[in-house]
Amino acid sequence: MALQSGEKLPMFIGHIWSKQKSRWTLLGLRLLAFLAAAAATLVMVLNKQTKTFVVATIGTTPVNLTLTAKFHHTPAFVFFAIANGLVSIHNLVMIMMDLLGSKLNYKGFQFPMIASLDMLNLALVSGGANAAAFMAELGKNGNSHARWDKICDKFGPYCDRGAGALIASFLALALMLLISFLSILNHKLVNSSSHNSHNNIIALPN
Amino acid sequence: MAETKRIFTFLLRFIAFCTTLSAVIIMISSRQRATVLVFSFEAKYSDTPAFKYFVIVNAIVSIYGFLVLFLPSKSLLWRLVVALDAVFTILLTSSISAALAIAYVGEKGNPIAGWLPICDQVTKYCNQVKGALIVGFISVVLYMLLFLYSLHTVLNPLLLEKS
């Protein structure tokens, strides 16, 4: 009898403890992803550089040309900013729901919606980050076949800030990947005793 | 009901495999030689890293799609298929968005950076790239559907049975 209760009790405590710990881990990861995506959006939206070039010299007067590099000249960067904005809003809503939404009760419907939304936002942020990455590569290296010159040697700080935004976005992408799979795993492990979900584990997509 | 679902998913996977394969073939076969002023240059898909990435990702996904078609329906590898579906759908969306970004610059140019559009000089190449991108977009949509379907089936088989 004593051996039996000694066996059962640590397992029970381990179950509760791991649920709390994984909940706070997930919340911390979501906060990091929200910060990373918000940082990427802000840095890209506020990215601007003005530079004056001397194009020609007529007599002794130089002819100046002032060019401003802004993010909205490039549709890929606009998409990047919108995608990261949406992802940060999604993470914010998920954090709020986790902290404050335990009163609202749509138990059966809640988890698939969270998982699907996580995956959709993952696809969105991956699309945005990748498009901006290839545009940045084009700006950095140019394209000799299409006669497109590189612009990063002229607009150095603009390129550097854009690179910072890209790094933040890829960090948000890695975190979202981790969060999606962790939340599904977490849900499976936590609910494995209460829902007879050994059926769930064997059930296959076909 | 389960039979029709199985046939439907098989058909969907087959069409998705066909679209990724045709995106690869159309993009690879796009080339055009043009003469501008004195020099002639040839526009190929491999000039741009974004199009190379598009071809590589679509080739990998079509190999994966081909292998999944032959998976027997009761095998335990379907759990792996769900995870791989997720990874490959995300890779596909990233490749199509990168290719679209570069194709937009090729078509409209970028006046601030001094990049002229090249589409009016190599029209046939441009149209073929557009065709490959449209087919690639259809494949992204199909893979999204497949992925959401397998996610839904794995996550909530109880809900599926009740409804």
Side-chain angles (χ1 to χ4, degrees), chain A residues 43-128:
Chain A
V43 171
M44 186 54 87
V45 166
L46 300 172
N47 200 5
K48 180 174 143 169
Q49 187 183 357
T50 312
K51 195 159 170 183
T52 313
F53 298 97
V54 178
V55 182
T57 316
I58 302 179
T60 48
T61 345
V63 174
N64 286 338
L65 179 63
T66 310
L67 283 177
T68 312
K70 284 194 209 154
F71 85 104
H72 66 77
H73 295 308
T74 319
F77 292 156
V78 174
F79 176 52
F80 173 83
I82 293 177
N84 277 290
L86 284 176
V87 164
S88 51
I89 290 177
H90 162 83
N91 277 318
L92 195 62
V93 165
M94 289 299 168
I95 292 176
M96 292 298 175
M97 224 171 73
D98 202 4
L99 287 177
L100 309 169
S102 42
K103 304 272 176 55
L104 306 167
N105 194 3
Y106 14 68
K107 275 289 149 57
F109 184 58
Q110 186 180 21
F111 176 65
M113 217 172 75
I114 291 182
S116 311
L117 276 177
D118 264 342
M119 292 292 184
L120 286 175
N121 279 295
L122 181 57
L124 193 63
V125 79
S126 92

Side-chain angles (χ1 to χ4, degrees), chain A residues 75 112 122 126-127 130 134 148-149, chain B residues 53 90 94 97-98 104 115-116 156:
Chain A
L122 181 57
S126 92
N130 220 320
F134 274 100
W148 291 335
D149 293 329
Chain B
Y53 178 65
I90 291 164
S94 71
S97 63
Y104 181 87
W115 294 337
L116 300 171
N156 240 343

